[in-house]
Amino acid sequence: MKLRKVTAASAAVLALSVAATACSSNKKDDGGSSGGGNKIAIGIKFDQPGIGQKTPQGYSGFDVDVATYVAKKLGYNADQIEWKESKSADRETLLKRGDVDFIAASYSITPERQKLVDFAGPYLLAHQDVLVRADDNTIKSPADLNKKKLCSVTGSTSAQNVHDKLAPKAQLQEYPTYSACLTGLQNKAIDALTTDDSILAGYASQSQFKGKFKLGGFKMTNENYGIGVKKGSDLKAKINKALEEMVSDGSWKKAVDKNFGPAGYKNEPAPKIGDIKS
């Protein structure tokens, strides 16, 4: 009788062990250590042509190409990537909660953000600019934005930068997405859309908008795009290595030409890892 009790207990322990092993084998690898798990979750923008866009055909843009290259170096094929929308106001929360392994979403490195997350890179140096209607000749310099309705997205620093440093009388308008800003610009509900020149070039080059908008040509700020990871994650070093390889093997230049070339965007050279322009 005593022998049967011990055997039953052992069987129970064995069953629990097997169950735990099964659960463990089905868990998504968070990419924080060895990589090469079943899936990797990557945050991108869904509404930025040329940067990160969700289309009926899939996902496209410079950030998508960079993230795909990095994921491959971490041990993940393209079909193992789970793309997640990362709106500007949600990025830090997504990383903190572990909803994504890393974010490549026109994510400018700033001192404030560095307190909350870690950044690999930078991998692109962009500049803040404005997009206006093609027939609007009243905005020829940042100072002309005074008393104009200036749009940017919730959580972005772009419009506030212009207001604080260049056009204190600009009327700031916050919309949930850049696409919403673009609609407002087209309908004359706003006068200018401000964000990075790379993003604006993507919108202006879309076939349905060609000839309707123009870039102001103002290099108002330096925007150092980085790949965001959870604070303290060892992915930072691995991603930095992947970014260096992307530049050295020519893949970075190919991605730039593919995504920005049609708009005639004059990009800066690939930045050195850790070289953040103020």
Side-chain angles (χ1 to χ4, degrees), residues 3-268:
L3 178 60
R4 281 204 298 269
K5 285 182 179 179
V6 173
T7 302
S10 299
V13 170
L14 179 60
L16 288 173
S17 177
V18 171
T21 301
C23 290
S24 176
S25 65
N26 290 328
K27 185 178 180 182
K28 180 184 79 69
D29 191 299
D30 65 3
S33 299
S34 61
N38 293 328
K39 293 286 185 180
I40 184 168
I42 302 175
I44 58 169
K45 290 295 180 67
F46 278 15
D47 69 332
Q48 291 182 352
I51 297 289
Q53 186 178 30
K54 182 180 180 180
T55 70
Q57 292 74 39
Y59 301 90
S60 64
F62 180 70
D63 282 348
V64 175
D65 290 343
V66 170
T68 301
Y69 184 99
V70 169
K72 185 175 181 179
K73 291 295 182 179
L74 294 176
Y76 298 90
N77 295 321
D79 60 0
Q80 293 177 289
I81 298 173
E82 181 182 359
W83 300 110
K84 293 195 174 184
E85 184 174 19
S86 297
K87 294 180 180 179
S88 295
D90 300 335
R91 291 178 294 205
E92 288 81 22
T93 300
L94 289 171
L95 288 169
K96 186 176 181 180
R97 289 195 313 220
D99 294 340
V100 295
D101 294 298
F102 67 82
I103 291 178
S106 55
Y107 203 178
S108 296
I109 302 171
T110 68
E112 293 76 18
R113 290 169 178 166
Q114 286 177 304
K115 295 175 184 177
L116 303 173
V117 302
D118 285 341
F119 285 97
Y123 63 93
L124 183 73
L125 176 60
H127 303 284
Q128 187 178 344
D129 201 353
V130 296
L131 191 69
V132 300
R133 290 180 292 277
D135 60 356
D136 186 350
N137 296 315
T138 65
I139 301 175
K140 298 178 180 179
S141 71
D144 293 330
L145 294 168
N146 282 305
K147 298 184 179 180
K148 298 287 188 179
K149 293 179 180 178
L150 181 64
C151 185
S152 192
V153 301
T154 304
S156 172
T157 59
S158 300
Q160 195 65 49
N161 285 340
V162 174
H163 181 272
D164 292 347
K165 301 174 183 178
L166 300 169
K169 294 182 180 179
Q171 300 173 27
L172 304 187
Q173 306 286 323
E174 284 195 344
Y175 283 34
T177 64
Y178 291 109
S179 295
C181 282
L182 196 68
T183 300
L185 181 60
Q186 189 172 16
N187 296 336
K188 299 186 178 181
I190 59 172
D191 300 304
L193 160 59
T194 185
T195 188
D196 306 345
D197 51 10
S198 56
I199 298 171
L200 296 175
Y203 282 116
S205 65
Q206 289 182 286
S207 58
Q208 68 269 35
F209 296 132
K210 282 185 179 179
K212 294 183 179 180
F213 305 111
K214 61 184 179 182
L215 287 163
F218 315 144
K219 291 187 176 183
M220 294 184 284
T221 63
N222 291 327
E223 303 297 334
N224 304 271
Y225 286 5
I227 292 181
V229 298
K230 192 173 184 179
K231 202 74 176 173
S233 173
D234 63 355
L235 274 180
K236 176 179 176 179
K238 296 176 182 179
I239 293 173
N240 277 335
K241 182 179 178 182
L243 292 174
E244 289 177 335
E245 291 176 2
M246 188 176 187
V247 173
S248 64
D249 70 14
S251 298
W252 184 90
K253 183 64 166 61
K254 288 180 181 178
V256 168
D257 292 343
K258 168 189 168 186
N259 293 288
F260 302 135
Y265 174 68
K266 295 178 173 61
N267 65 281
E268 299 279 4

